[in-house]
Amino acid sequence: MTTKEFGVRDGEKTVELPEKPDAGVYFIGHIRTPWKERKDCPKNARESDAVCTVELDERYRDGLKDVATCSHVVLLYWMDKAPRNLVLQVPRHYGEPRGTFALRSPARPNPIAMSVVKLLKIEGGTLSVVGLDCLDGTPLLDIKPYFASTDSVPDAVVGWHKRD
Amino acid sequence: MTTKEFGVRDGEKTVELPEKPDAGVYFIGHIRTPWKERKDCPKNARESDAVCTVELDERYRDGLKDVATCSHVVLLYWMDKAPRNLVLQVPRHYGEPRGTFALRSPARPNPIAMSVVKLLKIEGGTLSVVGLDCLDGTPLLDIKPYFASTDSVPDAVVGWHKRD
């Protein structure tokens, strides 16, 4: 666990994690982005229109059949640089403690990020996408088709979140 | 790995998985639904308006601060009954092989499901939600706020998918 960039701040609260994980995940590829350090990453995915690439390992490539017919896909990836034991945290740009499950912060018991991205093209095992904000080299966990019928809720509200 | 309900069908293709997982996940709670067997589950989450509950383990409850201000949340959960080695699969209701990453099937290298649910209320560590289609007792991995600004794409298309 790397806490170098994630020291505990005033108002934050940690818990003791279980001794052992309950299940294991495979890294099925990696995400290539222009951002080499956390401070360079966009604050959220709509801040950048950078084209990023998702490189799926050879082993899983047949699984991409039919994916090119999707305008958008959901990516799950592993944010392995964040501490997993914070339940209350103080995001730098908000300044007051929030519950971990009210945030999209990488610091959470299971550091699995979810991003909805626009799919531009697929060549071999490489997907070109727009809508990511993660570090270069981030391990990929999953690619899913985005179904507007179940995944899109245009009027959803996050009450605590200040409007820009 | 349970393949009892997921035998390999004609047109399906399996791969050899890595010997060891790359990272571990914690089950942070469990999901209670009315569905005890796979055949009873709704085909997708919009098919049912059943109120399901998400029971977060005591250890993580402080992480729920501010979550009640969200109209919708993203749930990630572990579909541990499915095989992980299918890259091409033939969904029963479509009848032809599709790439695993073009499907929301539980059979995938990392059986992490993502559902967008409507949050009705939170009492202690229990969230009441609408929009799930998983088995009773499914292990919970994460709760995230749903941000319409980044997560909602009303005009997204899954080209291979037949319209009802």
Side-chain angles (χ1 to χ4, degrees):
Chain A
M1 187 184 303
T2 304
T3 49
K4 200 169 45 181
E5 297 183 87
F6 290 92
V8 173
R9 303 185 189 132
D10 285 351
E12 295 192 330
K13 183 176 174 183
T14 61
V15 295
E16 190 164 344
L17 292 170
E19 276 183 33
K20 284 192 289 189
D22 294 293
V25 293
Y26 303 117
F27 297 163
I28 64 170
H30 286 84
I31 297 175
R32 308 309 310 264
T33 75
W35 310 295
K36 309 288 185 196
E37 293 184 60
R38 193 166 138 85
K39 67 173 173 50
D40 303 327
C41 293
K43 217 169 61 185
N44 76 62
R46 290 276 163 111
E47 253 188 34
S48 169
D49 56 5
V51 176
C52 302
T53 57
V54 177
E55 296 175 356
L56 184 67
D57 289 354
E58 182 67 36
R59 178 194 305 257
Y60 304 107
R61 289 201 183 160
D62 286 329
L64 289 177
K65 180 176 179 296
D66 308 307
V67 174
T69 70
C70 299
S71 67
H72 294 74
V73 294
V74 174
L75 299 178
L76 300 182
Y77 46 94
W78 189 256
M79 297 177 296
D80 56 355
K81 303 273 188 290
R84 298 175 64 165
N85 62 347
L86 282 176
V87 288
L88 290 177
Q89 47 191 299
V90 181
R92 202 180 301 270
H93 46 292
Y94 298 120
E96 51 182 310
R98 300 284 178 202
T100 286
F101 302 117
L103 296 170
R104 293 289 276 262
S105 159
R108 50 207 317 117
N110 294 304
I112 303 168
M114 188 278 281
S115 288
V116 177
V117 300
K118 184 173 181 182
L119 179 61
L120 301 183
K121 64 176 174 181
I122 303 181
E123 289 175 327
T126 302
L127 291 74
S128 299
V129 304
V130 172
L132 285 172
D133 56 7
C134 63
L135 285 171
D136 186 44
T138 296
L140 177 70
L141 295 178
D142 203 5
I143 302 168
K144 299 179 188 294
Y146 181 94
F147 283 97
S149 57
T150 49
D151 302 328
S152 177
V153 186
D155 57 351
V157 172
V158 177
W160 67 260
H161 189 255
K162 297 182 196 85
R163 293 252 165 212
D164 291 322
Chain B
M1 184 185 303
T2 304
T3 49
K4 200 168 46 183
E5 295 184 271
F6 290 93
V8 173
R9 302 183 190 136
D10 284 350
E12 294 192 332
K13 183 177 175 182
T14 60
V15 295
E16 191 165 342
L17 292 170
E19 275 183 36
K20 283 194 288 192
D22 294 292
V25 293
Y26 303 117
F27 297 163
I28 66 170
H30 286 86
I31 297 176
R32 308 309 311 263
T33 75
W35 309 296
K36 309 289 184 195
E37 292 184 59
R38 193 166 139 84
K39 68 173 173 49
D40 303 327
C41 293
K43 217 169 62 187
N44 76 63
R46 291 276 164 111
E47 252 186 38
S48 169
D49 55 5
V51 176
C52 302
T53 57
V54 178
E55 297 175 357
L56 184 67
D57 289 354
E58 183 66 36
R59 177 194 304 257
Y60 304 107
R61 288 199 185 162
D62 286 330
L64 289 176
K65 179 177 181 292
D66 308 307
V67 174
T69 71
C70 299
S71 67
H72 294 74
V73 295
V74 175
L75 299 178
L76 300 181
Y77 46 94
W78 189 255
M79 297 177 294
D80 56 356
K81 302 274 188 291
R84 299 174 65 166
N85 62 347
L86 282 177
V87 288
L88 290 177
Q89 48 190 298
V90 181
R92 201 181 300 270
H93 46 292
Y94 298 121
E96 50 183 310
R98 300 285 178 202
T100 286
F101 302 117
L103 296 170
R104 293 289 276 263
S105 159
R108 50 208 316 117
N110 294 304
I112 303 168
M114 186 279 280
S115 288
V116 177
V117 299
K118 184 174 181 180
L119 179 60
L120 302 183
K121 64 176 174 181
I122 303 181
E123 288 174 328
T126 302
L127 292 73
S128 299
V129 304
V130 172
L132 284 172
D133 57 7
C134 63
L135 285 171
D136 186 43
T138 296
L140 178 70
L141 295 178
D142 202 5
I143 303 168
K144 300 179 188 294
Y146 181 94
F147 284 96
S149 58
T150 49
D151 302 328
S152 178
V153 185
D155 57 353
V157 171
V158 177
W160 68 260
H161 190 255
K162 296 182 198 85
R163 294 252 165 213
D164 292 322

